[in-house]
Each structure stands twice: as C-alpha cells, then as structure tokens.
Amino acid sequence: MTATEDTSTAHQKAYERIHELILTGKLAPGERLRERNLGALLGLSRTPVREALRRLSSEGTVRFEPNRGVYVEEIDRGELLEIFDIGAALESRCARLAARKIGSEAIAVLEACLDEMTKFAGRPEGDPGPDYVKLDKRFHSTIVAATGNRKLQALVEHVVSLPVLSSAFRQYGPADFRRSVRQHGEILEAIRSGDEAWAEVAMRNHILTGRNAVVKQDGTAAG
Amino acid sequence: MTATEDTSTAHQKAYERIHELILTGKLAPGERLRERNLGALLGLSRTPVREALRRLSSEGTVRFEPNRGVYVEEIDRGELLEIFDIGAALESRCARLAARKIGSEAIAVLEACLDEMTKFAGRPEGDPGPDYVKLDKRFHSTIVAATGNRKLQALVEHVVSLPVLSSAFRQYGPADFRRSVRQHGEILEAIRSGDEAWAEVAMRNHILTGRNAVVKQDGTAAG
DNA sequence: GAAAGCCATGTTGTATACCATTTGATGACG
DNA sequence: CGTCATCAAATGGTATACAACATGGCTTTC
C-alpha cells in the first residue's frame, strides 16, 4: 500500500521518517524537536515518537535535555572524520568475518545489489541519488549481518546512521560512482573467495575513499 | 549518602535498573521481559520502562519481537570475543584521541579513580566486586568523554554495556586486580604525557588482558 | 525606570486507558 | 483419540490524560 517500507509499527515508521528528515537536513543540527509537532507531522501520537527519539538518542543522532526538549546533535568536521576511521575499523572487521562465515543466500543478495549498482553507474548523466544510497546501505547491511554478530551489527548501524554518509554521495560525479561500484565488486569477490585479509583491506579502502570525499567536500574554513 | 545515582527521571532509573538486572544475570539471556512486571518491580508505569527497553534494544542488549515481547539477547562465546576485539579497537582509538585533547579536570578525575582503585587492590583479601566495576567504568567513560566525540562515546557505551564486561571481573583474583590497576596507571601516564601511540597500545593491552580472562573463564564446551 | 517575583502558557515526563495481536485452553468434529 | 476451530485471557502497541517543569511576559515594588 503505502511506501512498501516495513512500516508495520508506528514506532518503526516514526524512527525511519525522523531519521530521514535528519539525514536530508530537513531537521537541521541543533534544531529543537517538539514531540507533538513530529507526531502531528507523521500522523502519530507522542508515544511512538518518543520511543523513536530514545532510539535516535542512543545512537547519538539526537540529544535529550531533561525537561527541556530534544535537539538534533551537531557534528563538526573533526568528529566526522574520526567517525569514518571508526567505521573503517568496524566494517573492515565485518568484511573479514563475513569472508569466513557468509552463506550462499547472502552472497546472492550482494550479487543482486552489485548488479543494480552497475546499472545505475552505467547511466550517462543523471545522479543515481537516493537509490544508490539505498543499494549501498543494503550491500553493507548484508555483509554486517553475515557476521552473525548482533552487537557488532548494532554498532555499525549506529555509525552508518550518520547524516553525512549519504551527503558524501551527494557530490559524487559519474566517475566516483563507477569507482564505488568497482570497489563493491572487489569486496564481493574477496568475500566470495573467502580471502579474509583481502576482504578486510578492500572494505577499508572503500570506506576511506568515502572519507576522502568528505574531506574535500567543503574546503572553506566555515566555523 | 543514598544511592547518589542520577535517578532524577523514571526513564533513567528504569534503564539503570534493568541494565543492572541483565548484567548481574537476574534477567537471563533469552528470558522474556514483561513490561507490566518490570514496571511493578521498579514502581513505575510501562511508559518509562518501554523507553528504557528501546534504548537497550538499540544497544543490542535486548530484542523486540513485534507483538511478541522483549527478550534478553544471548551472546555466544565467539561473538563475545569479537566484541572484545572491537572494544579494543574503539577504546584504544579513544585513548589516542584523549592523549591529544584531554583537559586538566578530566586528568584529575582519572587520578582520583586510580587512587581509589589502588586502595581497593591493596586490600588483603576481600573482592572489590561491584565497586571496582564502577571505578573501572568511570575511568573508561572519562577517557571516552575526553575525546569530545559524542558519536564515538555512544559507540563505546554500547560495547561496554555488555553483561560480560563485569563478569570478567568476577573471577579476578588479587593479582589480577593489581595488574588491572597497574595497567590503568600506565594508561593514565600515557595520556597525561600526551603520548598518543603509547596511550593507544596501553589501552589495547588493557582490554585484551580482559579478553584473555574471559577466554579462560569457562573452558567447558557448554553449549 | 529597573529589577524581581508571579502567573500564564507551552512542553516534557509519566500514568492510565484502549485497541490489536498473540497464545493457550476448551470443545466440536473427523 | 487426534486435530482443528473458536474463544478468552494476557500482553504488546498506541493514544490520551494528567502532572511537573521551564519559559516568557506582566505586574508590582523600590
């Protein structure tokens, strides 16, 4: 019916929508979030909204100030680059584990992802945009899930929940997308062949490429 | 002084108590948590309990099964050891950053912690037990906070929220505690002197010592 | 005229009430 | 005797109601 998303519960819907609003910058860093406003906006009551906000708070995306409201967390450039380093450490470790433990179904999912990515990158002009972001998320989520480690999965989710991950894509040109696809291909091949060391460095290479894109994103010394 | 804990809000109280119940094994892995039961147990309504559970869920400590209840997550030995490795990666990175950015107040807190730890470890017999766990938490939290990176802080919190971290202490003997104190001393000295590389490896050394304790904790091939 | 206190208003924090879904028991039917 | 349908109790999911706290403007007083 609606968006084919897994919007089975109001809480899930609230979480996804609010998260997206923050990702896309419609809710700006530092901005105060009023529970009743959000509820009205999403057609929900405060209860699921608050639960979603608690979750986002636990992920470091928003901040509860007791009795004084909820605010979108700000992230400065230094923090962000650190996060990329952490992400590289976590995800490369995931890739190593995945190379050891992944099953054929997960492999199939990765292949399907890569296939669609290739199609997107093959386009002459248009920016793949949000679709590519989703594919990228699915690809990485599949690898993390293949580790079978739920705690690790939770950690990575928290890292990739950053607004900036997608903003990194925003300024990608066609060449950047092609490179991204190629890197995903390498990662898949490494995992498929069970080469743990290769999978690890292929993933690290991929993440740090994204990091570099963010570094160059805004050269100005904006406060 | 009562429990000087920051139990200002019901949500916070619920979170701390439930977390502790899981840490101490009073709520066993796989066990179903009934919201009304927990609320009655803590003298609270379901609302703050549910918010606390959402937070714990986000941390990977419990698991929501839609319409079917909340369960304490189980962790097998392999996952656990992985978590220690991740923790080592994250915390050693924190130590490196802290060595660069820490302020004098935080240094003072660390010194105070170390002081109390030394007292505990100096005891002839008694197991320091929960008190030492708290000191350890404070020590590590202070270092993480000193990085100034909130997202990183959130990540580490999620790692150390593991039941097993404290269970590692449980089988510590006097010699183990003395070694732990000595290691904390090294970490502090490294950070204080601003030696990033030293701080990093001192922390890694410390965490992996704990990992080793867990490895040896239960030699039996218990499922 | 300025500062301090008080009240009105809005928002968060918590409790309760209601609805939807699951689950186990009971009984009818094969 | 076993199996399946049906229903009731329990529990999770959500909405609403109420209480506590914060904030801004107004009045009052010096």
Side-chain angles (χ1 to χ4, degrees), chain A residues 9 11 50-51 54-55 58-61 73-75 79 82-83 85-86 90 93 97 148-152 154-155 158-159 161-162, chain B residues 11 50-51 54-55 58-61 66 73-75 79 82-83 85-86 90 93 97 148-152 154-155 158-159 161-162:
Chain A
T9 74
H11 158 78
R50 268 184 74 88
E51 289 186 13
R54 283 292 181 200
R55 202 168 143 194
S58 174
E59 293 172 2
T61 305
E73 279 278 17
E74 307 106 8
I75 300 179
E79 276 182 297
E82 264 308 310
I83 292 297
D85 288 341
I86 300 295
L90 291 177
R93 182 140 209 117
L97 288 170
N149 189 324
R150 289 179 300 273
K151 196 88 183 184
L152 184 51
L155 285 175
H158 293 177
V159 173
S161 72
L162 274 175
Chain B
H11 158 79
R50 270 184 71 89
E51 289 185 13
R54 284 291 181 200
R55 203 169 143 192
S58 174
E59 293 171 2
T61 305
E73 280 277 18
E74 307 120 27
I75 300 179
E79 278 183 298
E82 266 304 318
I83 291 298
D85 288 341
I86 300 295
L90 291 177
R93 182 139 209 118
L97 288 169
N149 189 325
R150 288 178 300 274
K151 196 88 183 184
L152 183 51
L155 285 176
H158 293 177
V159 173
S161 71
L162 275 174

Side-chain angles (χ1 to χ4, degrees), chain A residues 186-203:
Chain A
E186 286 175 358
I187 294 168
L188 172 54
E189 195 177 341
I191 290 179
R192 188 163 37 196
S193 66
D195 189 327
E196 296 183 20
W198 183 19
E200 180 170 342
V201 298
M203 179 62 86

Side-chain angles (χ1 to χ4, degrees), chain A residues 36-56:
Chain A
R36 281 172 60 245
N37 285 6
L38 284 176
L41 180 65
L42 305 177
L44 303 169
S45 78
R46 285 175 57 208
T47 308
V49 169
R50 268 184 74 88
E51 289 186 13
L53 289 174
R54 283 292 181 200
R55 202 168 143 194
L56 289 165

Side-chain angles (χ1 to χ4, degrees), chain B residues 101-164:
Chain B
K101 305 166 86 174
I102 199 167
S104 52
E105 347 68 44
I107 291 274
V109 173
L110 292 178
E111 284 169 344
C113 273
L114 188 61
D115 211 47
E116 288 199 62
M117 283 175 170
T118 307
K119 271 187 256 174
F120 273 120
R123 289 181 173 179
E125 269 305 313
D127 67 320
D131 292 317
Y132 194 84
V133 172
K134 283 192 180 172
L135 286 171
D136 188 79
K137 270 196 170 181
R138 182 140 48 99
F139 191 91
H140 286 263
S141 295
T142 304
I143 290 174
V144 177
T147 65
N149 189 325
R150 288 178 300 274
K151 196 88 183 184
L152 183 51
Q153 194 167 352
L155 285 176
V156 175
E157 288 294 332
H158 293 177
V159 173
V160 302
S161 71
L162 275 174
V164 212

Side-chain angles (χ1 to χ4, degrees), chain A residues 67-79:
Chain A
N67 287 316
R68 299 193 51 201
V70 180
Y71 297 81
V72 180
E73 279 278 17
E74 307 106 8
I75 300 179
D76 64 35
R77 182 151 306 252
E79 276 182 297

